[in-house]
Amino acid sequence: MLGGRATPLDFAPGLGEQKLDDIQGGCMCGAIRYAATARPANSMVCHCQSCRRVAASPVVAWVTFAKSEFRYTRGTPLVYESSPKVQRRFCGACGSPLSYEHVDTADFVDVTTCSLDAPWAFPPTHHSWLSHDIGWVKFGDGLPTFERSRFGDPS
Ligand SMILES: [Zn+2]
Ligand SMILES: [Zn+2]
């Protein structure tokens, strides 16, 4: 966007009419699709080492849905256990990271914000796991930061 900040509508004409039951996303190749029927309960950017390695990216943005409001609508993602209590799902065809589930928060599923069709719809409210940050990405967004998880749980 030359000459100014982009607004959500620059990217998503008609977003204002988006209904809650239209929250959808999927992997890059389209083999896996998902839908949510309620707004995410949380939206954040994670700087932890586990997210960084699994996505090969400096940080990973996540939205959290109640599991009862989230479902895969096409295809079945593969599962990788990144730690004994954590299942991360991804597309077996194109590799897009899609979701994170922890046994201690079994009612919720974290979904990669940037796999949403409209990732601008739910901007993050904070950054977590700054204790793992690699140091060369500077956000300057003024959002609260946390050395570990905002909720004190492990990665
Ligand atoms: Zn795919
Ligand atoms: Zn993380």
Side-chain angles (χ1 to χ4, degrees):
M1 293 294 140
L2 293 172
R5 290 177 69 86
T7 68
L9 294 182
D10 290 334
F11 299 103
L15 182 66
E17 292 101 60
Q18 185 184 40
K19 297 191 204 110
L20 287 180
D21 57 5
D22 286 339
I23 299 171
Q24 295 182 36
C27 66
M28 185 174 183
C29 77
I32 310 293
R33 296 288 298 167
Y34 62 76
T37 54
R39 290 177 166 276
N42 187 34
S43 177
M44 55 84 97
V45 177
C46 190
H47 298 237
C48 86
Q49 181 181 27
S50 181
C51 288
R52 175 163 69 245
R53 296 300 297 270
V54 84
S57 174
V59 296
V60 179
W62 297 97
V63 287
T64 303
F65 292 107
K67 211 174 272 185
S68 59
E69 305 282 3
F70 176 87
R71 69 190 190 285
Y72 285 100
T73 55
R74 182 195 302 161
T76 303
L78 298 185
V79 182
Y80 171 65
E81 291 197 8
S82 61
S83 60
K85 292 181 169 185
V86 172
Q87 291 190 331
R88 294 175 183 265
R89 286 181 165 76
F90 62 98
C91 175
C94 72
S96 295
L98 295 169
S99 67
Y100 168 106
E101 293 170 61
H102 196 293
V103 295
D104 291 345
T105 52
D107 293 338
F108 294 94
V109 55
D110 293 337
V111 176
T112 47
T113 306
C114 292
S115 68
L116 289 165
D117 293 344
W120 43 82
F122 309 113
T125 62
H126 64 282
H127 295 258
S128 287
W129 287 97
L130 270 293
S131 57
H132 289 185
D133 186 66
I134 57 174
W136 49 255
V137 173
K138 304 297 183 191
F139 280 84
D141 55 17
L143 294 176
T145 60
F146 297 85
E147 284 300 295
R148 292 166 60 84
S149 167
R150 177 184 182 183
F151 305 106
D153 54 357
S155 65

